[in-house]
Amino acid sequence: KAGVTQTPRYLIKTRGQQVTLSCSPISGHRSVSWYQQTPGQGLQFLFEYFSETQRNKGNFPGRFSGRQFSNSRSEMNVSTLELGDSALYLCASSLAAGGPEKLFFGSGTQLSVL
Amino acid sequence: GDSVTQMEGPVTLSEEAFLTINCTYTATGYPSLFWYVQYPGEGLQLLLKATKADDKGSNKGFEATYRKETTSFHLEKGSVQVSDSAVYFCALSESGGGADGLTFGKGTHLIIQP
């Protein structure tokens, strides 16, 4: 059974640009969560989607957005990139919404903003 | 709000040494507690969990006991191996499904020397 797949693995962007990251959950999983990992702030919750609906959102500005498609694949978008957005972005999937006990994480997308 | 505090390290030990990684938390409700492990270049993997006071989670020789009176969830292993070298994250989720996702500590980098 394939795990959580995140693409691309690495991204380099410049300030002011926008970026889209993709996450394919484990087959049959309907919930997708996104986290940002930085050396200074550690791991922080961005948002969770279930059945194409955003269930909840962490404390991030509106530049960070996401969506989920009918096949449960999810994308997150960051507009008007800032240097501080450089981070590892992790996606996690689970069968049901709000089920942290059953989260499976991908390897992440490493975003560098120059 | 909720928070998790853990020693950041790096923690360097010799093979077969005893390991303790301290973790304390603050939460408004009755959280579930977790330890995740991140190996180089990979996403997070759930190591163990405990959902109520006095529960002991265990996996791969690691153990942690949910201590409500001291708000702690310290990770222990009796004899570490080189393959245990990784970053370990303590995390919590409030009861009711973790509406705000997981709250993570900053992570503890563990280095085991042969």
Side-chain angles (χ1 to χ4, degrees):
Chain A
K1 196 174 190 181
V4 177
T5 304
Q6 292 188 245
T7 56
R9 187 71 179 89
Y10 301 95
L11 261 180
I12 299 175
K13 292 286 187 179
T14 56
R15 278 181 300 174
Q17 287 187 311
Q18 75 164 17
V19 68
T20 300
L21 313 182
S22 178
C23 172
S24 293
I26 291 173
S27 177
H29 285 195
R30 297 171 61 194
S31 172
V32 173
S33 301
W34 289 88
Y35 289 82
Q36 182 196 62
Q37 184 178 14
T38 61
Q41 298 298 317
L43 277 152
Q44 295 181 285
F45 172 72
L46 279 157
F47 28 65
E48 179 188 9
Y49 285 86
F50 180 78
S51 292
E52 302 178 63
T53 301
Q54 186 180 89
R55 286 191 72 242
N56 44 70
K57 182 176 167 67
N59 189 24
F60 278 82
R63 299 185 297 107
F64 291 81
S65 64
R67 59 178 175 168
Q68 186 180 33
F69 302 94
S70 58
N71 61 358
S72 295
R73 191 177 71 85
S74 176
E75 290 181 346
M76 69 163 280
N77 185 276
V78 187
S79 62
T80 318
L81 283 166
E82 301 177 0
L83 294 179
D85 297 333
S86 295
L88 179 67
Y89 290 87
L90 291 168
C91 164
S93 75
S94 61
L95 275 170
E101 293 86 353
K102 298 288 174 62
L103 278 179
F104 291 83
F105 282 83
S107 299
T109 293
Q110 183 69 54
L111 172 64
S112 298
V113 182
L114 306 178
Chain B
D2 297 346
S3 67
V4 175
T5 302
Q6 60 179 111
M7 49 201 297
E8 292 187 30
V11 173
T12 304
L13 295 172
S14 298
E15 205 166 20
E16 298 183 6
F18 184 86
L19 168 71
T20 299
I21 300 177
N22 291 336
C23 170
T24 57
Y25 68 90
T26 58
T28 52
Y30 301 93
S32 296
L33 301 175
F34 307 85
W35 277 101
Y36 280 84
V37 58
Q38 185 177 33
Y39 298 101
E42 297 183 14
L44 277 71
Q45 301 174 27
L46 178 63
L47 182 59
L48 54 84
K49 65 178 176 128
T51 57
K52 60 183 188 297
D54 299 325
D55 267 2
K56 177 186 282 189
S58 61
N59 185 26
K60 299 180 180 180
F62 291 90
E63 291 183 341
T65 302
Y66 190 142
R67 301 287 187 200
K68 191 169 184 290
E69 64 276 14
T70 54
T71 61
S72 64
F73 192 54
H74 304 322
L75 182 69
E76 296 182 335
K77 186 175 184 183
S79 176
V80 293
Q81 307 299 313
V82 172
S83 58
D84 294 327
S85 299
V87 181
Y88 292 80
F89 294 90
C90 185
L92 70 81
S93 173
E94 288 281 8
S95 61
D100 294 322
L102 285 161
T103 298
F104 285 92
K106 292 283 182 74
T108 300
H109 186 194
L110 176 64
I111 301 168
I112 307 300
Q113 297 178 332

